[in-house]
Amino acid sequence: RAGLRPEHPSRKAGIKSPDIVVENGLSQYGIEAKRPMLTKNVLARFRDGSEQLASYGLAGCVLLDVTDCLRGLEAGPVNDQVEAVGRSISSVVFDGRSQRPGYGHIMATGVFARVAWSSTDEESHSMVNVHTSSLITVYGAAKGTLAARRARWLRSAIEEGFGKLAVEPLGAA
């Protein structure tokens, strides 16, 4: 929760809603999480999440849990694949200079996977070590603007939430 009080949005007839809504002062932001099962479906699930935010009328973040897409990879390749997925999503949202039409409401995207693990079984205890990788990207606002501060606040809140789950970010763009 990262110190936030996320709300489940009220359902509006015929309108898809984000998974949660968070507030910062008087502003509200949507967070939509998707969990594609196959790598070939990642971009389609991202677009679904983006449409849910837009349909509900909120700017915000789409998070993609790509754990199922990356099963069987070890820690190093997982980091590489999470970064590759993050870059492919960025190319949908951003053209190198500005946000693409239809994606102005996307403040940030996040990709994460929890796939590599090991266990230690001792006489007195058992422990499971899960490797998680994440990448969060912020979009569309000129540095120092209110929009940039809001996007970075949202990214920080998500990173703090990941931290509470022991998810270490690869970095942020």
Side-chain angles (χ1 to χ4, degrees):
R1 288 183 25 183
L4 300 174
R5 292 189 165 167
E7 299 287 329
H8 292 280
S10 58
R11 300 285 179 203
K12 297 178 183 177
I15 297 176
K16 293 181 179 181
S17 64
D19 289 319
I20 60 174
V21 174
V22 295
E23 293 183 359
N24 183 9
L26 298 175
S27 300
Q28 291 187 322
Y29 308 102
I31 299 175
E32 177 59 28
K34 294 296 183 189
R35 191 172 182 186
M37 302 298 286
L38 302 170
T39 304
K40 69 179 185 176
N41 296 333
V42 168
L43 293 179
R45 295 295 74 77
F46 166 73
R47 288 183 177 105
D48 290 346
S50 174
E51 288 172 13
Q52 281 181 254
L53 289 175
S55 173
Y56 203 73
L58 289 178
C61 178
V62 177
L63 296 174
L64 291 151
D65 177 350
V66 296
T67 300
D68 292 331
C69 300
L70 304 181
R71 291 257 181 243
L73 294 180
E74 295 183 14
V78 168
N79 288 342
D80 295 342
Q81 289 301 311
V82 165
E83 186 171 349
V85 170
R87 290 186 186 284
S88 70
I89 291 168
S90 290
S91 70
V92 171
V93 176
F94 195 73
D95 69 8
R97 292 186 320 253
S98 62
Q99 282 179 273
R100 295 182 190 275
Y103 292 100
H105 62 286
I106 299 295
M107 298 168 64
T109 57
V111 179
F112 66 98
R114 307 168 317 276
V115 292
W117 62 276
S118 61
S119 64
T120 305
D121 294 317
E122 302 288 331
E123 189 171 313
S124 62
H125 69 279
S126 292
M127 195 167 70
V128 176
N129 181 18
V130 179
H131 173 79
T132 305
S133 179
S134 68
L135 178 71
I136 299 173
T137 306
V138 174
Y139 301 99
K143 193 172 186 172
T145 64
L146 181 58
R149 286 195 297 269
R150 288 176 172 167
R152 283 174 172 63
W153 170 85
L154 184 58
R155 180 190 71 201
S156 294
I158 292 166
E159 286 176 343
E160 185 178 335
F162 278 163
K164 290 178 187 280
L165 297 171
V167 176
E168 294 295 324
L170 285 172

